[in-house]
Amino acid sequence: MKKKFLLLFLFINVTASAQSPVPEGAQPELIASGFQFVEGPVWSDTIGLLFSDLHGNIAYRWTEEDSITEFLNPSYNSNGLTYDLDGRLIINETGLRRVARLEFDGTQTSLANNYNGKKLNSPNDLIVKSDGSIFFTDPPFNIPEGEKQELSFSGIYRISPYGELQLLDSTLELPNGICFSKDETKLFVNNSKARIIYMWDVVNDSNIANKREFARINPTGYADGMKIDTYGNVFCAGPEGVWVFSPEGKLIDKISLPKNPSNCNWGDADRKTLYITAGNSVYRIRLGYK
């Protein structure tokens, strides 16, 4: 029995190692620390890395040359960050319970702040589709002190290219990380507390259907931000590190970190470096893509 178990263990590890995009022995590098709680990393070749200090109420910029500078202060407790098709920053502002767009002149435009006349909970993570629509999750994680939850559910939403807000799903207790397959035919969202990643078919670019389980993370902690690579591997921030799943939903690796990560994203000109926010620190790790 022991011999059979050992052979199985070796087979699983060899298979995982062969499929993993994480180079053997690679370790995350600490690039910035001393914040309160960091989230939402996003890369631009002209700006560098942006990320939110959610509780510090500041969005920061990091570059190799200048290290850390303030980018938005206040940031209205920004969480998830991404760019639209025109290169404008899209921000989930938990302090104002809205999704906003930072215009090139520095002003902000509110894109979504209520559903059916009730305030959104706490827009968390988001992604922009190739048609310009914005998909985002809205759990009640960070409702400002003294305010109440007005919606009776946590939602997954779509903002159309014309600004219309559409509820896509209300079945998850705490929807959090969100990403598309590379061809945008599948949407992935995790149920944070249950640590289950779900997958839907994207129908006519504007609806989702056929919800099913994609993968699970071990039974502690929370699942958080997610990204997908060009090979279809899903990277999910979770307990003790970033969990890496194959396109079939099989666990193939885990990038261990000293603190539970909140999110991750690709960066550098070739997008082969993974930037990771975790606790009060930001890390990066170079992946082994050819």
Side-chain angles (χ1 to χ4, degrees):
M1 180 63 72
K2 288 184 178 179
K3 184 176 181 180
K4 184 177 180 181
F5 175 81
L6 178 60
L7 288 174
L8 178 61
F9 177 80
L10 289 173
F11 173 77
I12 291 172
N13 275 334
V14 169
T15 303
S17 177
Q19 296 174 341
S20 175
V22 183
E24 186 175 354
Q27 296 294 324
E29 172 195 0
L30 177 67
I31 62 170
S33 192
F35 310 101
Q36 292 188 42
F37 182 80
V38 287
E39 254 282 7
V42 65
W43 179 271
S44 162
D45 288 336
T46 57
I47 294 175
L49 183 74
L50 297 182
F51 61 92
S52 302
D53 186 353
L54 175 62
H55 300 320
N57 198 21
I58 299 172
Y60 288 95
R61 172 178 180 258
W62 176 90
T63 64
E64 197 81 57
E65 299 76 22
D66 301 326
S67 188
I68 292 293
T69 55
E70 290 186 2
F71 185 78
L72 286 175
N73 186 2
S75 68
Y76 305 109
N77 305 104
S78 63
N79 195 331
L81 305 173
T82 192
Y83 289 100
D84 70 7
L85 302 186
D86 296 318
R88 296 170 295 187
L89 188 67
I90 308 298
I91 313 167
N92 277 347
E93 296 177 338
T94 64
L96 297 178
R97 300 169 72 169
R98 72 178 188 177
V99 182
R101 182 176 64 224
L102 181 65
E103 309 295 351
F104 292 127
D105 64 4
T107 61
Q108 292 197 15
T109 301
S110 179
L111 303 179
N113 56 37
N114 74 88
Y115 179 72
N116 286 346
K118 296 182 179 181
K119 285 184 180 181
L120 294 175
N121 296 321
S122 179
N124 191 290
D125 211 351
L126 73 171
I127 188 169
V128 172
K129 199 171 179 293
S130 61
D131 65 355
S133 58
I134 302 166
F135 287 62
F136 71 95
T137 56
D138 186 44
F141 275 136
N142 296 289
I143 293 176
E145 186 177 353
E147 297 185 19
K148 65 179 182 178
Q149 182 176 348
E150 298 184 10
L151 294 167
S152 61
F153 59 86
S154 297
I156 302 170
Y157 293 91
R158 173 182 179 266
I159 304 173
S160 77
Y162 310 102
E164 299 171 345
L165 182 64
Q166 172 188 359
L167 177 65
L168 299 174
D169 185 272
S170 60
T171 65
L172 300 189
E173 179 186 7
L174 294 173
N176 195 328
I178 184 169
C179 62
F180 286 113
S181 60
K182 298 311 290 185
D183 62 4
E184 298 184 335
T185 63
K186 302 290 188 293
L187 179 74
F188 299 87
V189 179
N190 64 53
N191 194 357
S192 188
K193 187 176 180 180
R195 300 168 307 282
I196 301 174
I197 302 172
Y198 289 97
M199 178 172 65
W200 290 259
D201 297 321
V202 179
V203 181
N204 297 326
D205 292 325
S206 59
N207 286 286
I208 57 176
N210 192 22
K211 172 188 171 185
R212 64 265 195 200
E213 184 176 316
F214 172 74
R216 288 179 179 244
I217 292 176
N218 77 359
T220 60
Y222 287 79
D224 214 319
M226 294 194 303
K227 298 296 181 292
I228 199 164
D229 70 9
T230 55
Y231 298 96
N233 299 310
V234 174
F235 290 66
C236 183
E240 301 172 354
V242 177
W243 297 65
V244 187
F245 296 93
S246 73
E248 296 74 35
K250 304 297 184 182
L251 179 65
I252 57 174
D253 216 326
K254 186 176 79 169
I255 303 170
S256 296
L257 291 148
K259 305 164 186 175
N260 290 340
S262 59
N263 215 328
C264 58
N265 213 338
W266 315 109
D268 296 350
D270 60 7
R271 303 300 190 269
K272 293 182 181 180
T273 298
L274 188 69
Y275 286 87
I276 305 167
T277 50
N280 66 353
S281 302
V282 183
Y283 299 82
R284 66 179 175 183
I285 185 170
R286 188 72 176 169
L287 300 182
Y289 300 114
K290 295 182 179 179

